[in-house]
Amino acid sequence: MKHLISVQDLSRTDTLHILDTARELDRVTNGGIKLLPTLRGRTVVNLFYEDSTRTRLSFERAAKRLSADVVTVSAKGSSLSKGESLKDTALTLNAMGADMIVVRHPSPGAAHRLAHAGWLDSRVLNAGDGKHEHPTQALADALTIRARLRPEAVDFDGLTIGIVGDVLHSRVARSNIFLLASLGANVVVIGPPTLLPVRIENWPCTVSYSLDAALPELDVIMMLRVQQERMNGTFFPSELEYSRSFGLNRSRAAALPTHAIVMHPGPMNRGVEITAEVADGTRSVITEQVANGLKVRMAIMYLLIGGDVSVA
Amino acid sequence: MTQPLNTASSGPSRTGSRIVADPDDISRALRRLAHQVVENVKDVTNLVILGIPTRGVPLAQRLAKNIGEIEGVAVPVGSLDVTLFRDDLRMRPSKALEQTLIPDVGFDDKIVILVDDVLFSGRTIRAALDALNEYGRPAVVQLAVLVDRGHRELPIRADYVGKNLPTSLSENVSVHLSEIDSIDQVVIHSANASTEGTA
Amino acid sequence: MSLNSYLIVGSRPYGEQVCDIRITNGLISEIGSGLEPGDHQVVKAHDLISLPSFVDLHTHLREPGREDAETIASGSRAATLGGFSAVFAMANTTPVADTAGVVEQVWRIGRETGLVDVFPIGAVSVGLHGEALAELGAMAASAAKVTVFSDDGNCVSDPLLMRRALEYVKTFDGVIAQHAQDPRLTQGAQMNEGELSGILGLTGWPAVAEEAIIARDVLLTSHVDSRLHVCHVSTSGSVAIIRWAKEMGIRVTAEVTPHHLLLTEDLVSSFDPVYKVNPPLRSRADTLALREALADGTLDIVATDHAPHPHESKDCEWDSAAFGMLGLETALGVVVAAMAETPGWSWRTLSERMSTVPAKIGRALNHGRPLAVGEPAHIVLVNPQKTREVVPSQLASLSGNTPYAGMTLPVSVTDVFFNGVHQVRGGELHE
Ligand SMILES: [Zn+2]
């Protein structure tokens, strides 16, 4: 593994290796170690073409905890906002000797281009490329599910995981569907057809238009954020109608099996796709997802640039 | 993982492998080490034994058991993965992390004995000392190894050595333990033999 | 020996019987076997296939406005090396070819270059904005004698404007070449809509966005009894609609590009914008339907949609990249590669689709003529055994955005006669 662009590049063994490494890092850091010397002398560049403080901070903290030198280049107030091309930025970062580029970009495939267009030698870690993928979030979610529901098992056979809402525009959903299915989970995608990609029935998941019908079967329910800009468009009639049909509230949460957990990749629209009560309730593992995001990012950074980077 | 050994090829050989310690040798060495520890460490109730993965861990468990049997106490034993602290990480692809398990008693102000299978350059032990330093503050740190094969690159020496094994740099030494390899033995490989599972 | 008098010896016209072809004063003067050279230069063409040179009804030459990507001269060189004697230059230049002045300029520079005949296509609407009709009559009456009108790059999406355009060109036997793309259904679209677009997170470009416009346009054409040409048909549904329209007797013709015959959407998984094209690469099933339709004549012609772009327009992330690929220099090889296995395909059919019929649609009377005595000597010699590796830097086009880089094409153009001038010899241009 040279880059991490898409969960579809990961074999099941790769995924389990990352999850095991993240779990071990969790143990080490919970044991009290806040700073590991592992990436001393390595440079990690966070290249963020989209403003996302949460994600950017998570990657920064992951790199810093491994003692890497961290450079953050954000869209605001930099050459990125002045229209410098992705290629020119890549050439500059390459000249700086970046060992790894963590890139978030609004264009699907931007991370892939950065890794494969021949612009640079660095390892590339996709931190979200448009509607394409957000692999570290899916790995964090898998780590969370594993810790909660499958602490001893190797995979997710027998788990039914519902992903609810705007799959069409969600990179988190894409990465999760493919990753969780590859681990053996039964993934159910739930939402209005306007928010589901065409031919999703050919993906490794089943499709339902009724959240209420699906609830009793779910071991995990993952609520997707409804982007503000879709609300008054042509995707669904109104915010109110959306949350009536696809929002997770107390009564819906009560229809879940008792062991089921509630997830949300954040940031949440409280009151739209999830009520505050459920988001903060006992079934919610949303804060664990954030903590696991850090561990997974550390694990991938270690695995991608901890060793000899001259080999693939 | 470890290559299956051809036992017929035991004994001196310029190419291939030769077995330099059998199960009896290993268990004798570990009993002797246990006695040395007991003699050296006055208060064994203050002892914590940490194995360095992979094969240091079963060795630590065996050593703790031996000491426990001599003294009639349970010696706390754990594992300390040093991968993240190595200064030679970049010499090879990233390897999988192994478990770090610090016994519940911790090791602040305790006598910690690090256990590894083979002492070679000393870099593993340097990393272990760094790791230890992050987890707490032992009163004393000592080192026990089953094999010392020489060729140190750092000023590090073992307090307890099961077997001194002078080797050439072109050779590799591997320790096989029944918990992992289904057999107890120490093998020297010449350079053209497999180097997997060796130190 | 007299200049521009040749005897092509031993070739097989249309891949059929071996014979010799004599060229005198720009015309085919004699065809037969065992002809004596006399004072004619002998061109040995044993094992080669002779065909009437090709006609491309859909080329972007970029001049005026984007001479960094292509010029009329560089595009003409690319065209003749590809075996073409005539190209129709699309109107989406800067300024747009929506006046007699611009089309005459393009036509004149084409004449001065003199390697192929450049027929300008006039815009349907002023500035390609799809609002008001451009000066169609003036362009038709100009020195360029424009007969093909197109807003290509944009769709004439307003049905009323489309109706008026179809009606208006009847006065001078013109044809509207429609770029069929419903703009609302393709907002922000990046690739064929299907399973893969969903997986890659690229906004989908549904087949119906093309098919709905074609369905509308054939009905409009029928209603006003005019002539419609459909550019770059890319879906099996479009083929079905065109097939139906032809059965109904509607005067519609249609083209398919070499790349839509050969390449499929799975290439987009590489996120390499060299595969970004409008209309997008489609599914394998579409490709097969297009091949079949080209063989049976439902699709009348091959047109390249040669679309040069400077390096930086493709050396970027997918969303930011320009649509389009080079086509002129690889057209023959790609068509042969795509069509070889299709039942009903022959050199004779290829010649119809790449020469005879496109010339007829564009009313290029001096092109697409048969290999026969008295006809203009626009002849291409093809070596059916000689493969050719595509190397972008070796192309005559100023741009390098070919999706076939590194690919080996099954046949090669070796020689081209334009108006009897032997200007391509052994695959090299002799100006
Ligand atoms: Zn077009």
PDB file of all heavy atoms in Angstrom, chain A residues 125-138:
ATOM      1  N   LEU A 125      -2.737  10.605   0.927  1.00  0.00           N
ATOM      2  CA  LEU A 125      -3.824  10.116   1.766  1.00  0.00           C
ATOM      3  C   LEU A 125      -5.055  10.961   1.478  1.00  0.00           C
ATOM      4  O   LEU A 125      -5.040  12.178   1.636  1.00  0.00           O
ATOM      5  CB  LEU A 125      -3.397  10.213   3.241  1.00  0.00           C
ATOM      6  CG  LEU A 125      -4.395   9.838   4.318  1.00  0.00           C
ATOM      7  CD1 LEU A 125      -5.087   8.510   4.020  1.00  0.00           C
ATOM      8  CD2 LEU A 125      -3.658   9.736   5.653  1.00  0.00           C
ATOM      9  N   ASN A 126      -6.093  10.302   1.024  1.00  0.00           N
ATOM     10  CA  ASN A 126      -7.324  10.997   0.643  1.00  0.00           C
ATOM     11  C   ASN A 126      -8.128  11.353   1.887  1.00  0.00           C
ATOM     12  O   ASN A 126      -8.581  10.482   2.617  1.00  0.00           O
ATOM     13  CB  ASN A 126      -8.142  10.069  -0.277  1.00  0.00           C
ATOM     14  CG  ASN A 126      -9.392  10.729  -0.805  1.00  0.00           C
ATOM     15  OD1 ASN A 126      -9.636  11.906  -0.542  1.00  0.00           O
ATOM     16  ND2 ASN A 126     -10.187   9.979  -1.549  1.00  0.00           N
ATOM     17  N   ALA A 127      -8.313  12.631   2.090  1.00  0.00           N
ATOM     18  CA  ALA A 127      -9.110  13.094   3.233  1.00  0.00           C
ATOM     19  C   ALA A 127     -10.478  13.565   2.768  1.00  0.00           C
ATOM     20  O   ALA A 127     -11.127  14.372   3.437  1.00  0.00           O
ATOM     21  CB  ALA A 127      -8.369  14.226   3.948  1.00  0.00           C
ATOM     22  N   GLY A 128     -10.914  13.034   1.625  1.00  0.00           N
ATOM     23  CA  GLY A 128     -12.225  13.407   1.100  1.00  0.00           C
ATOM     24  C   GLY A 128     -12.077  14.085  -0.245  1.00  0.00           C
ATOM     25  O   GLY A 128     -11.525  15.179  -0.304  1.00  0.00           O
ATOM     26  N   ASP A 129     -12.554  13.427  -1.312  1.00  0.00           N
ATOM     27  CA  ASP A 129     -12.484  14.026  -2.651  1.00  0.00           C
ATOM     28  C   ASP A 129     -13.882  14.100  -3.234  1.00  0.00           C
ATOM     29  O   ASP A 129     -14.403  13.135  -3.771  1.00  0.00           O
ATOM     30  CB  ASP A 129     -11.516  13.252  -3.557  1.00  0.00           C
ATOM     31  CG  ASP A 129     -11.873  11.781  -3.753  1.00  0.00           C
ATOM     32  OD1 ASP A 129     -12.477  11.189  -2.834  1.00  0.00           O
ATOM     33  OD2 ASP A 129     -11.568  11.237  -4.825  1.00  0.00           O
ATOM     34  N   GLY A 130     -14.466  15.260  -3.135  1.00  0.00           N
ATOM     35  CA  GLY A 130     -15.805  15.472  -3.686  1.00  0.00           C
ATOM     36  C   GLY A 130     -16.773  14.442  -3.161  1.00  0.00           C
ATOM     37  O   GLY A 130     -16.800  14.139  -1.975  1.00  0.00           O
ATOM     38  N   LYS A 131     -17.538  13.880  -4.086  1.00  0.00           N
ATOM     39  CA  LYS A 131     -18.530  12.884  -3.703  1.00  0.00           C
ATOM     40  C   LYS A 131     -17.943  11.482  -3.776  1.00  0.00           C
ATOM     41  O   LYS A 131     -18.673  10.514  -3.687  1.00  0.00           O
ATOM     42  CB  LYS A 131     -19.735  12.974  -4.659  1.00  0.00           C
ATOM     43  CG  LYS A 131     -20.482  14.272  -4.576  1.00  0.00           C
ATOM     44  CD  LYS A 131     -21.567  14.356  -5.651  1.00  0.00           C
ATOM     45  CE  LYS A 131     -20.990  14.561  -7.029  1.00  0.00           C
ATOM     46  NZ  LYS A 131     -21.999  14.556  -8.105  1.00  0.00           N
ATOM     47  N   HIS A 132     -16.648  11.377  -3.968  1.00  0.00           N
ATOM     48  CA  HIS A 132     -16.061  10.073  -4.226  1.00  0.00           C
ATOM     49  C   HIS A 132     -15.869   9.268  -2.946  1.00  0.00           C
ATOM     50  O   HIS A 132     -16.675   8.411  -2.625  1.00  0.00           O
ATOM     51  CB  HIS A 132     -14.744  10.254  -4.984  1.00  0.00           C
ATOM     52  CG  HIS A 132     -14.024   8.990  -5.305  1.00  0.00           C
ATOM     53  ND1 HIS A 132     -12.660   8.878  -5.225  1.00  0.00           N
ATOM     54  CD2 HIS A 132     -14.474   7.781  -5.700  1.00  0.00           C
ATOM     55  CE1 HIS A 132     -12.300   7.660  -5.569  1.00  0.00           C
ATOM     56  NE2 HIS A 132     -13.382   6.971  -5.864  1.00  0.00           N
ATOM     57  N   GLU A 133     -14.829   9.583  -2.167  1.00  0.00           N
ATOM     58  CA  GLU A 133     -14.533   8.729  -1.020  1.00  0.00           C
ATOM     59  C   GLU A 133     -13.945   9.519   0.139  1.00  0.00           C
ATOM     60  O   GLU A 133     -13.391  10.616  -0.036  1.00  0.00           O
ATOM     61  CB  GLU A 133     -13.543   7.632  -1.433  1.00  0.00           C
ATOM     62  CG  GLU A 133     -14.203   6.551  -2.279  1.00  0.00           C
ATOM     63  CD  GLU A 133     -13.882   5.147  -1.792  1.00  0.00           C
ATOM     64  OE1 GLU A 133     -13.588   4.966  -0.581  1.00  0.00           O
ATOM     65  OE2 GLU A 133     -13.917   4.231  -2.628  1.00  0.00           O
ATOM     66  N   HIS A 134     -14.062   8.938   1.300  1.00  0.00           N
ATOM     67  CA  HIS A 134     -13.451   9.484   2.512  1.00  0.00           C
ATOM     68  C   HIS A 134     -13.012   8.270   3.329  1.00  0.00           C
ATOM     69  O   HIS A 134     -13.625   7.911   4.322  1.00  0.00           O
ATOM     70  CB  HIS A 134     -14.485  10.322   3.263  1.00  0.00           C
ATOM     71  CG  HIS A 134     -13.916  11.140   4.380  1.00  0.00           C
ATOM     72  ND1 HIS A 134     -12.567  11.160   4.691  1.00  0.00           N
ATOM     73  CD2 HIS A 134     -14.515  11.974   5.254  1.00  0.00           C
ATOM     74  CE1 HIS A 134     -12.372  11.977   5.718  1.00  0.00           C
ATOM     75  NE2 HIS A 134     -13.540  12.478   6.081  1.00  0.00           N
ATOM     76  N   PRO A 135     -11.947   7.606   2.854  1.00  0.00           N
ATOM     77  CA  PRO A 135     -11.634   6.286   3.412  1.00  0.00           C
ATOM     78  C   PRO A 135     -11.317   6.283   4.909  1.00  0.00           C
ATOM     79  O   PRO A 135     -11.688   5.329   5.597  1.00  0.00           O
ATOM     80  CB  PRO A 135     -10.425   5.825   2.580  1.00  0.00           C
ATOM     81  CG  PRO A 135      -9.909   7.029   1.881  1.00  0.00           C
ATOM     82  CD  PRO A 135     -11.059   7.963   1.722  1.00  0.00           C
ATOM     83  N   THR A 136     -10.658   7.321   5.416  1.00  0.00           N
ATOM     84  CA  THR A 136     -10.313   7.251   6.843  1.00  0.00           C
ATOM     85  C   THR A 136     -11.554   7.336   7.731  1.00  0.00           C
ATOM     86  O   THR A 136     -11.576   6.788   8.827  1.00  0.00           O
ATOM     87  CB  THR A 136      -9.309   8.356   7.263  1.00  0.00           C
ATOM     88  OG1 THR A 136      -9.873   9.639   6.999  1.00  0.00           O
ATOM     89  CG2 THR A 136      -7.997   8.198   6.516  1.00  0.00           C
ATOM     90  N   GLN A 137     -12.584   8.032   7.241  1.00  0.00           N
ATOM     91  CA  GLN A 137     -13.817   8.090   8.037  1.00  0.00           C
ATOM     92  C   GLN A 137     -14.455   6.701   8.094  1.00  0.00           C
ATOM     93  O   GLN A 137     -14.917   6.261   9.156  1.00  0.00           O
ATOM     94  CB  GLN A 137     -14.793   9.102   7.423  1.00  0.00           C
ATOM     95  CG  GLN A 137     -16.098   9.236   8.196  1.00  0.00           C
ATOM     96  CD  GLN A 137     -15.897   9.790   9.592  1.00  0.00           C
ATOM     97  OE1 GLN A 137     -15.225  10.799   9.781  1.00  0.00           O
ATOM     98  NE2 GLN A 137     -16.463   9.119  10.596  1.00  0.00           N
ATOM     99  N   ALA A 138     -14.474   6.012   6.969  1.00  0.00           N
ATOM    100  CA  ALA A 138     -15.059   4.669   6.958  1.00  0.00           C
ATOM    101  C   ALA A 138     -14.261   3.720   7.851  1.00  0.00           C
ATOM    102  O   ALA A 138     -14.830   2.887   8.564  1.00  0.00           O
ATOM    103  CB  ALA A 138     -15.124   4.137   5.526  1.00  0.00           C
TER     104      ALA A 138
END
